Amino acid sequence: MSGYNAVLARNTENAPAGIGPYSQTVAFSHYNNLSAQLPIDPKSGKLTAGGVKEQAEQCFKNIKAIVESIDHVMSDIVRITVFVTNIKAVDAVDEVYKTFFPTYVPTRTTVAVAALPMDALVQVEALVSNGEGTIPNAPQSGDLIKLTNNTANAPISALSAQAVSFSHYSNLSAQLPIDPKTGRLVTGGVKEQAAQCLKNIKAILESIDVPFDDIVKTTIFLKDISDMEAVNEVYTTFFPDSAIARAVAYVPARTTVEAAALPMAALVQIEAVVSYGDGTPPQLVEDRHGIIIEANNTENAPKDPLSTQTVAFSHYNHLSAQLPIDPKAGKLVAGGVKEQAEQCLKNIKAIVESVDHALADVVKVNIFLKNIADIDAVDEVYATFFPGGVPARRTVGVSALPEGALIQIDAVVGNEEGTPPIVK
């Protein structure tokens, strides 16, 4: 990359060192991407003693230490993701959560997964605003403001904002299939629930004057991965949403995984990351209008009609989760988790290179494993692609993955050149 926007990886001794080849936080442009924090005591390097409350508190203490080490505060967090191994533990986590966010609340996703590294009961991840930006020796608009939003047309929670915009992105809380009028799950099966999740997302976007087709990435958490085809039927009725998007067959990048359980015993939950072309004040006028979405697919990685391999907007590229599929054969590669991890990363590398970037531009990696015990084997392969351990990272064990894969990986990549209007 050029010296315009720099990938800035940082670590502090006041939070646990990574248990793999990754950094605690990686800043690029106006966001800090934090690695998911386990309940590890940074002094001992071991899990903190106690139950889920004590573990949740340690996770948040670690996040706070990282945030403060880069001269930020907890209210700069725009999104929190909570992973638990028992959905019934969420109430205990919430008690702790409230003490760290007594007034302002970020957007939030909560999901139960099959397993977490080190047999932890909880793991917490944060995305943090970075008002000063990452232009070396040339601070950007350090007084950029966050815009939080709630509408009565979507479910309201005291523990999370529906949308938090900062700079050129809006991050939405994961939407459950809750009817906002009744506050209860909609009746019916997974199709009806998927439709309600997407309706809620659409209502939130309309409340901030953002079109549905400005979504750049969705993450779908399913209670049963075999419901994916039914969800896809509904999904295609929402995407593409406009004549312009239909003309180019635009669909966002996407990740789909099976959750062990979801809040309120829902069958599906959907999270969205949205482009925000107007930016948040006081960005300069020339930085706030006409920025375009750039979607890209390459023959060198697997294609899916329901997702774009990478969607760039402003200074980020959001990649669809990559399965260990050989793009030539269209099938899972032979072998075990090492071979599958290598293919996932090869696919990511092919996509990144197809948009004239390099793996050194990757700021965040999310790894979903069928067996959490495979992480050491995965790290052997991972270190050959990221020898400096720069990207921030999240690793969770999931109940099942599409195609019966053992591993799935997605990534967020810096886009130094941005996406200005195309001049013909």
Side-chain angles (χ1 to χ4, degrees):
M1 291 175 61
S2 78
Y4 183 68
N5 260 313
V7 173
L8 180 59
R10 288 172 286 187
N11 293 284
T12 173
E13 293 181 355
N14 295 327
I19 60 170
Y22 56 87
S23 301
Q24 290 170 350
T25 179
V26 178
F28 187 80
S29 189
H30 287 312
Y31 281 93
N32 290 290
N33 298 266
L34 269 61
S35 288
Q37 291 301 299
L38 289 162
I40 298 172
D41 181 328
K43 293 181 180 178
S44 70
K46 298 179 180 179
L47 289 187
T48 191
V52 71
K53 281 182 82 170
E54 290 79 10
Q55 290 200 8
E57 184 175 24
Q58 188 64 57
C59 291
F60 284 109
K61 282 181 178 178
N62 293 342
I63 287 172
K64 189 170 187 281
I66 296 168
V67 168
E68 291 179 347
S69 76
I70 56 175
D71 297 322
H72 282 267
V73 293
M74 291 294 280
S75 60
D76 289 333
I77 292 174
V78 297
R79 186 180 71 218
I80 284 285
T81 306
V82 176
F83 296 100
V84 291
T85 54
N86 183 349
I87 199 68
K88 294 179 180 178
V90 172
D91 287 345
V93 174
D94 286 348
E95 287 184 44
V96 177
Y97 177 86
K98 292 173 188 175
T99 66
F100 284 85
F101 299 99
T103 52
Y104 161 79
V105 285
T107 60
R108 197 173 105 162
T109 297
T110 303
V111 60
V113 293
L116 292 168
M118 298 179 70
D119 292 323
L121 303 175
V122 60
Q123 178 177 249
V124 184
E125 178 185 276
L127 178 67
V128 183
S129 60
N130 189 45
E132 65 272 23
T134 55
I135 296 177
N137 304 315
Q140 294 172 327
S141 300
D143 52 355
L144 288 176
I145 62 171
K146 293 193 309 295
L147 300 177
T148 60
N149 187 79
N150 288 294
T151 172
N153 295 325
I156 293 175
S157 170
L159 297 177
S160 62
Q162 290 170 352
V164 177
S165 302
F166 187 81
S167 187
H168 287 139
Y169 276 93
S170 289
N171 286 271
L172 271 60
S173 286
Q175 292 301 299
L176 288 163
I178 297 171
D179 181 332
K181 294 181 179 177
T182 65
R184 299 178 181 177
L185 294 186
V186 293
T187 57
V190 72
K191 282 189 177 182
E192 291 78 12
Q193 290 199 11
Q196 188 63 53
C197 292
L198 291 165
K199 284 178 183 176
N200 291 343
I201 289 171
K202 194 167 189 179
I204 293 167
L205 294 184
E206 288 176 348
S207 74
I208 56 174
D209 297 322
V210 173
F212 199 71
D213 283 317
D214 280 356
I215 294 173
V216 297
K217 174 76 189 290
T218 61
T219 301
I220 300 174
F221 296 99
L222 282 168
K223 180 66 176 70
D224 186 341
I225 202 74
S226 66
D227 284 337
M228 192 162 69
E229 288 187 16
V231 171
N232 285 343
E233 285 184 44
V234 178
Y235 196 82
T236 56
T237 67
F238 284 82
F239 296 102
D241 185 57
S242 66
I244 294 173
R246 285 191 291 273
V248 295
Y250 172 72
V251 284
R254 194 172 91 164
T255 295
T256 304
V257 293
E258 182 174 289
L262 293 167
M264 298 180 69
L267 302 176
V268 61
Q269 179 177 247
I270 303 178
E271 179 184 87
V273 178
V274 184
S275 61
Y276 192 67
D278 284 348
T280 56
Q283 289 188 325
L284 299 175
V285 172
E286 58 264 30
D287 293 332
R288 294 178 54 204
H289 297 286
I291 299 174
I292 61 169
I293 286 174
E294 292 181 346
N296 188 77
N297 289 295
T298 173
E299 299 293 335
N300 297 324
K303 289 186 175 180
D304 184 332
L306 294 180
S307 64
T308 301
Q309 290 170 352
T310 181
V311 178
F313 186 80
S314 187
H315 289 137
Y316 276 96
N317 289 289
H318 294 263
L319 271 61
S320 286
Q322 293 302 300
L323 289 163
I325 295 173
D326 180 330
K328 293 181 180 178
K331 297 179 181 178
L332 291 184
V333 293
V337 73
K338 278 191 176 182
E339 291 78 11
Q340 290 200 12
E342 183 177 28
Q343 188 62 55
C344 291
L345 291 165
K346 282 181 178 177
N347 292 342
I348 287 173
K349 187 171 187 281
I351 294 167
V352 170
E353 291 179 347
S354 75
V355 292
D356 298 322
H357 283 269
L359 288 181
D361 297 327
V362 175
V363 296
K364 177 74 189 299
V365 171
N366 298 314
I367 299 175
F368 304 92
L369 278 172
K370 181 69 174 64
N371 184 352
I372 199 71
D374 286 337
I375 189 59
D376 289 341
V378 170
D379 277 346
E380 286 186 43
V381 178
Y382 185 89
T384 66
F385 286 83
F386 298 103
V390 167
R393 203 170 82 172
R394 167 215 293 174
T395 303
V396 296
V398 294
S399 308
L401 290 165
E403 307 289 337
L406 302 176
I407 184 171
Q408 178 177 253
I409 304 176
D410 72 16
V412 181
V413 184
N415 188 44
E416 173 265 324
E417 67 273 24
T419 54
I422 293 175
V423 179
K424 297 183 179 180

